[in-house]
Amino acid sequence: MPPERTSGHPTSPFGAWPSPISTTDVARSGLRPGYPTVRGEEVWWEEDRPAEGGRRTIVHRAADGRRRELLPAPWDARTRVHEYGGRSYAVAPGAGVVFADHADQRLYLVPDGPPGLVPGEPEAITPEPETAAGLRYADLVVHADEVWCVQERHTGGGKVIRSIVSIPVRGGREPTQRVAGSDFYASPALSPDGAHLAYVCWDHPRLPWTGTELRVTRLADGRSWRVTGGASESVLAPRWKDDHTLYLISDRSGWWNLDQADIHHGVTRPLWPLEEEFAWAPHELGGAPYAVLGDGRLAVLRGRGDMRLSILDPATGVHTEPDLPYDGWDPALSADGSTLCGIAYGARIPRSVVRVDVATGRAEGLRRDAGELPDIAYLPVPRPVEIHGRFGRRVHAFVYPPANPAVDPGEPAPPYVVFVHGGPTAHATTALDLHKAFLTSRGIGVIDVNYGGSTGYGRAYRDALKGQWGVLDVEDTIAAAEWLLSDGLADPARIAIRGGSAGGWTTMASCCASGLFCGGVSISGISALGPLAAATHDFESRYVEWLAGPEDPLLYASREPLAKAGQVDCPMLLMQGQDDPVVPPAQSEAFVAALTERGVPCTYLAFEGEGHGFRRAETRIAALAAELAFYQQLFRR
């Protein structure tokens, strides 16, 4: 029997509630502001343009508050280093802004111009490569009229060579190689006197969240040495305190914590040991999980799951937390004097470029990911839960119940969708996501699972997935669905699952392993391990070995969805970018073919011009409309 009406509002079936949030609203919310830089009263940041083919521009906010785009179409500020990219620009005081263009991956300088006027035409400062987009640049920093950055060289036969180079801001000569020999580099940082270069490096088969080294090179003679780090320690984000001392993030304690190191004596000590994370896994280059303020204090991010902002005095250990209305911050901080700039969010606050005066605690939002929002009553508030998984293992998740002030439910229990994040060494946050609100405002609940392997809960939690991909992530995801049922939160016949990339793998594998799910949605999902290891990009080419183990046909067949597609009996929707360099379309196509051969209902949507993740507004609209139609068909009684 339907529940009694209590508010006088009409009853409506779950999944069919009238909602003010449209597919266009969700697609247009994807400005994705990121990587801010503050200099005095001026701020720069990156920003997407979904309505302009998904290109990315650089925005400048002048001291007088006027905002302007530095890059008109078709310029696209995106680096393709590691294929995931990251920070694509750097501010060169007195010269302009240097950025990497997506089309040819060369570095360009946008010259400074009078405030309020159209900036000058970008000028190339790196040579045109012999191979199209064969020379790529990322993690840009400017020091003494030179850009220092990671260079990625793509040669014939698929070989990739990386180094750290320097380039005059105004061009005029070939990049100068400064450091080479490792497979990967990140976080170049020049000492204040310009005598030493600090950086992070690692080699295959390691990844930056499994084992890295912090090294220093003396530029006068090229001598290099290891300061800290190794095969089982992840060291991130070096920043100079003075000419001989570095700050850094290390997980030596089991948590990514803030340390300080003497570069000459290799003495490293923790500054603030906590069982909390001070960083996220660096899939992208150029992140900044802390910043050095003008008075020597540090603006740091810390927490479990979401990271909150604190101000730490490293000399005394005294810290304060500014009273700000944000639940979390992205690891992308910039500071100048007492001014701090970052990307902050809340459950009902879109990701925003926020400037904070640390001296007064005053915060100012400069730009939001979404424009006008619906009434907050339509925006769900996540509830963190800790679920007991298999063998008593803890599983972290966020629950978003259906929310709509204009409707009374016409049924006892709602349908739910289990969200599975990608990575898999990543995590779900509580940031406002109009995709989730699009569903919850229509009467579809969401549970977002941080399965074992996710970041945000210490090294042991993320290392639990080593050798267990396709097992532990699936068990934890199924445990989240079972928890919904045990608490009576969801209709047992109407639980779906969706995920992208590694989340698509877990989605397909969970539909193979359990009959709990009435349907699944995979976006750019991985279905087979051997082909992935053979065809994916260099950065993650050994990731499968860490996640599942050395290549073994029997082992891989016991894990991968494609080998177990015969166990799937629920409808599925698969979507894929045709230009995906991370997960080739063949992964989705093979799984679709296996289901179709067995007569399992399966819809496949391939989008031309899209890569790993959808950037264009028209693609996002079409994909979300297809996903909603799929759920409504599944959940129809």
Side-chain angles (χ1 to χ4, degrees):
M1 295 289 292
E4 292 185 11
R5 292 167 57 181
T6 58
S7 64
H9 295 306
T11 59
S12 181
F14 288 116
W17 295 355
S19 169
I21 305 172
S22 69
T23 55
T24 301
D25 293 331
V26 179
R28 288 178 177 171
S29 71
L31 296 181
R32 300 180 185 177
Y35 298 113
T37 301
V38 60
R39 295 287 185 273
E41 295 297 314
E42 299 180 89
V43 182
W44 296 257
W45 64 86
E46 298 182 9
E47 192 171 291
D48 280 4
R49 291 288 177 268
E52 299 177 27
R55 75 180 188 94
R56 172 155 277 220
T57 188
I58 299 168
V59 178
H60 173 230
R61 189 180 191 275
D64 62 5
R66 285 185 291 181
R67 190 173 67 215
R68 62 175 180 169
E69 285 190 34
L70 299 186
L71 300 176
W75 293 102
D76 187 354
R78 279 194 288 153
T79 172
R80 288 157 56 185
V81 171
H82 295 178
E83 301 300 346
Y84 289 127
R87 180 189 291 270
S88 68
Y89 80 100
V91 177
V97 172
V98 177
F99 74 97
D101 183 63
H102 183 258
D104 61 11
Q105 289 297 287
R106 298 171 73 185
L107 292 184
Y108 290 80
L109 172 68
V110 183
D112 275 340
L117 298 181
V118 176
E121 183 71 12
E123 306 163 359
I125 65 170
T126 56
E128 187 171 355
E130 295 179 4
T131 303
L135 288 176
R136 306 176 183 184
Y137 305 89
D139 229 346
L140 283 58
V141 294
V142 174
H143 183 91
D145 297 323
E146 285 191 303
V147 181
W148 295 69
C149 59
V150 175
Q151 183 193 70
E152 184 177 83
R153 181 184 295 270
H154 290 248
T155 64
K159 186 173 177 59
V160 183
I161 300 171
R162 298 175 186 86
S163 58
I164 295 178
V165 301
S166 65
I167 303 146
V169 166
R170 300 188 184 276
R173 64 168 169 78
E174 293 282 325
T176 300
Q177 183 173 285
R178 301 291 186 168
V179 176
S182 291
D183 291 335
F184 299 95
Y185 291 95
S187 305
L190 273 294
S191 60
D193 61 5
H196 295 93
L197 173 69
Y199 52 92
V200 171
C201 60
W202 67 99
D203 294 308
H204 281 309
R206 286 181 269 161
L207 291 151
W209 48 86
T210 62
T212 61
E213 291 186 1
L214 170 58
R215 297 185 67 85
V216 168
T217 294
R218 187 166 57 203
L219 297 175
D221 58 10
R223 177 177 172 264
S224 300
W225 63 93
R226 184 183 70 88
V227 176
T228 189
S232 58
E233 178 184 358
S234 172
V235 181
L236 311 172
R239 297 286 184 274
W240 291 91
K241 175 184 179 181
D242 53 44
D243 291 332
H244 307 288
T245 312
L246 281 165
Y247 296 121
L248 60 116
I249 302 286
S250 168
D251 68 355
R252 185 189 311 107
S253 68
W255 298 83
W256 270 317
N257 276 195
L258 188 64
D259 288 0
Q260 178 177 303
D262 182 309
I263 67 168
H264 297 296
H265 300 96
V267 177
T268 303
R269 67 179 181 88
L271 287 179
W272 195 5
L274 290 174
E275 289 190 348
E276 294 183 351
E277 299 281 51
F278 284 62
W280 291 356
H283 290 84
E284 297 184 350
L285 292 174
Y290 65 97
V292 183
L293 300 168
D295 61 6
R297 292 184 298 166
L298 301 175
V300 303
L301 303 177
R302 64 186 182 91
R304 296 191 181 195
D306 296 314
M307 293 195 297
R308 59 193 183 276
L309 177 66
S310 291
I311 307 300
L312 170 68
D313 185 339
T316 64
V318 173
H319 72 276
T320 58
E321 289 194 26
D323 185 14
L324 300 174
Y326 306 106
D327 299 323
W329 295 71
D330 290 350
L333 297 179
S334 175
D336 187 26
S338 63
T339 302
L340 177 71
C341 201
I343 306 296
Y345 59 81
R348 288 175 166 173
I349 303 174
R351 271 192 165 85
S352 306
V353 181
V354 176
R355 181 168 58 188
V356 180
D357 184 333
V358 177
T360 64
R362 180 177 176 270
E364 178 185 9
L366 306 181
R367 183 66 159 166
R368 303 198 312 177
D369 179 59
E372 187 175 344
L373 294 176
D375 187 307
I376 63 169
Y378 290 96
L379 302 178
V381 176
R383 175 167 64 97
V385 296
E386 190 174 287
I387 297 162
H388 293 292
R390 193 175 185 191
F391 306 123
R393 188 171 56 240
R394 292 178 302 163
V395 182
H396 300 277
F398 299 111
V399 179
Y400 297 79
N404 187 315
V407 179
D408 279 342
E411 305 164 76
Y416 260 79
V417 179
V418 180
F419 273 45
V420 189
H421 67 72
T425 312
H427 68 275
T429 71
T430 61
L432 171 62
D433 181 353
L434 283 186
H435 185 165
K436 294 188 180 78
F438 178 84
L439 297 177
T440 58
S441 63
R442 286 170 166 78
I444 301 171
V446 169
I447 183 168
D448 211 352
V449 185
N450 277 320
Y451 50 86
S454 302
T455 56
Y457 305 97
R459 174 133 192 173
Y461 194 80
R462 73 177 189 266
D463 276 358
L465 195 60
K466 183 178 181 180
Q468 293 297 307
W469 199 33
V471 178
L472 184 139
D473 53 318
V474 172
E475 291 175 350
D476 287 359
T477 301
I478 292 171
E482 291 173 338
W483 176 84
L484 288 172
L485 300 181
S486 67
D487 270 32
L489 299 179
D491 183 337
R494 295 189 291 176
I495 298 180
I497 181 172
R498 61 99 62 197
S501 188
W505 155 278
T506 305
T507 292
M508 290 184 279
S510 296
C511 290
C512 295
S514 173
L516 268 177
F517 303 106
C518 64
V521 178
S522 169
I523 302 97
S524 301
I526 299 158
S527 67
L529 296 176
L532 177 70
T536 195
H537 59 137
D538 182 61
F539 176 62
E540 292 182 332
S541 61
R542 304 289 295 276
Y543 201 7
V544 169
E545 182 180 322
W546 187 90
L547 288 167
E551 186 168 0
D552 180 323
L554 292 178
L555 172 65
Y556 284 9
S558 72
R559 303 287 181 82
E560 59 192 21
L562 183 59
K564 297 187 287 185
Q567 300 172 29
V568 177
D569 58 7
C570 65
M572 297 204 70
L573 168 65
L574 278 77
M575 296 183 279
Q576 176 74 47
Q578 288 292 77
D579 299 333
D580 191 339
V582 178
V583 180
Q587 291 278 328
S588 291
E589 293 166 357
F591 197 73
V592 169
L595 295 188
T596 302
E597 184 179 358
R598 294 182 49 244
V600 176
C602 183
T603 300
Y604 180 56
L605 300 178
F607 296 99
E608 293 285 348
E610 293 286 5
H612 197 63
F614 304 149
R615 302 184 60 86
R616 299 175 178 178
E618 58 269 28
T619 303
R620 295 181 187 177
I621 290 170
L624 185 55
E627 189 173 344
L628 177 62
F630 180 74
Y631 295 144
Q632 288 177 329
Q633 186 173 8
L634 287 179
F635 298 153
R636 185 181 301 146
R637 284 197 173 278

